[in-house]
Amino acid sequence: MKKLNIGLQLFTLRDETAADFRGTLRKVAALGYEGVEFAGYGDIPAEEMKALLDELGLKGFSSHVSLHAMREDLQKQIDYLKTIDAQYMICPYLMPEDRPDNAEGWTKLFEELQQYGAEAAKQGLIFGYHNHDFEFHGQVGDANAFDAMFAQTTPEAVQVEMDVCWVQFAGQNPIEYINKYAGRLPLLHLKDFSKDEQGQMKTLELGQGEVDLPAVIESATNAGVQWLIVEQDVCQNPPLESVENSHNWLKQNYLNQF
């Protein structure tokens, strides 16, 4: 079995990076993560960020770039990513005001994402979309908006970054969805969760929740996933402790096979 790369989505450590971005990256590297997916750069210039990543032996392989930022200055975002040798630029979320409420609106959004992805590909990057749960509730013809998005865009322009927690929270089967998008799914957010008393998602450290993580990892390997990305939206422990515990789970339940 091929070993997948293990990355960390830095949104989990947003308070830590806000206080000390460079120091936080040093701690992430010390924990054994191979790479990071950015969610902002802490106003660090791209050349300086690249030097720091190289010093720490971390790959800055991907970044979450908001729809607003792409609309404002797509080239600026692409230039930063190319400077730090990133491979992926991911649209991470749709703010409520940006979420279509009908099929026509979704189709217009898909055309916009196709354009961003085509330009990113022209410049050597891979563009993708990261789901939450609302995409599974939107409807475009006979399909939910998630499936319609990837039916109406091309794999060359728009790849899948699947968040298994949100897939499962939306009432779908993450294994089936991983298999469905095999070959178009280079990045996978490996997360765990339960539901609180109000039925809302409570994100947990790996191995503490409802997601069948070993099955997810096996399916991801077979589907051609390149990076498993640890993320915890809200932590019950100090976030650095949580991402260390999740990495330890991976060492005990996955990485020890290699």
Side-chain angles (χ1 to χ4, degrees), residues 82 86-87 119-126:
K82 290 178 69 175
Q87 288 178 280
E119 184 59 37
K122 194 187 302 181
Q123 300 194 44
L125 294 174
I126 299 169

Side-chain angles (χ1 to χ4, degrees), residues 216-227:
V216 164
I217 294 172
E218 182 180 359
S219 296
T221 303
N222 296 333
V225 169
Q226 300 298 308
W227 285 87

Side-chain angles (χ1 to χ4, degrees), residues 17-18 21-22 38-45 49 80:
T17 54
F21 206 112
R22 296 167 183 82
F38 289 97
Y41 309 110
D43 295 324
I44 298 175
M49 184 71 81
Y80 194 104

Side-chain angles (χ1 to χ4, degrees), residues 20-31 52 55-56 58:
D20 181 5
F21 206 112
R22 296 167 183 82
T24 301
L25 280 182
R26 293 183 188 281
K27 292 174 181 176
V28 170
L31 291 175
L52 179 59
E55 175 197 336
L56 298 176
L58 277 177

Side-chain angles (χ1 to χ4, degrees), residues 180-200:
K180 183 174 185 177
Y181 287 97
R184 196 176 178 174
L185 176 59
L187 306 178
L188 187 133
H189 273 214
L190 191 70
K191 297 166 61 174
D192 214 346
F193 80 101
S194 63
K195 294 179 182 178
D196 64 19
E197 293 175 356
Q198 288 75 44
Q200 298 302 304

Side-chain angles (χ1 to χ4, degrees), residues 110-257:
F110 302 157
E111 291 170 353
E112 182 180 5
L113 296 177
Q114 173 76 19
Q115 291 173 359
Y116 296 150
E119 184 59 37
K122 194 187 302 181
Q123 300 194 44
L125 294 174
I126 299 169
F127 178 74
Y129 183 87
H130 170 273
N131 66 281
H132 287 73
D133 62 335
F134 59 82
E135 297 90 349
F136 294 94
H137 304 309
Q139 200 70 18
V140 182
D142 294 332
N144 63 54
F146 181 93
D147 289 325
M149 176 183 299
F150 298 106
Q152 294 187 29
T153 58
T154 66
E156 293 76 20
V158 186
Q159 294 272 298
V160 183
E161 179 178 69
M162 191 176 296
D163 186 308
V164 295
C165 268
W166 286 113
V167 172
Q168 187 164 323
F169 185 77
Q172 305 292 336
N173 184 317
I175 305 302
E176 291 178 4
Y177 261 85
I178 290 169
N179 295 339
K180 183 174 185 177
Y181 287 97
R184 196 176 178 174
L185 176 59
L187 306 178
L188 187 133
H189 273 214
L190 191 70
K191 297 166 61 174
D192 214 346
F193 80 101
S194 63
K195 294 179 182 178
D196 64 19
E197 293 175 356
Q198 288 75 44
Q200 298 302 304
M201 180 186 288
K202 179 181 180 181
T203 53
L204 301 169
E205 294 165 10
L206 295 182
Q208 294 189 359
E210 302 174 8
V211 178
D212 187 349
L213 297 172
V216 164
I217 294 172
E218 182 180 359
S219 296
T221 303
N222 296 333
V225 169
Q226 300 298 308
W227 285 87
L228 296 175
I229 303 167
V230 173
E231 182 185 32
Q232 192 171 343
D233 301 13
V234 179
C235 301
Q236 291 75 46
N237 292 315
L240 273 163
E241 183 181 324
S242 286
V243 299
E244 180 177 11
N245 290 340
S246 287
H247 194 271
N248 285 337
W249 184 92
L250 278 164
K251 283 194 284 191
Q252 293 162 13
N253 295 276
Y254 174 60
L255 296 174
N256 63 3
Q257 302 172 35

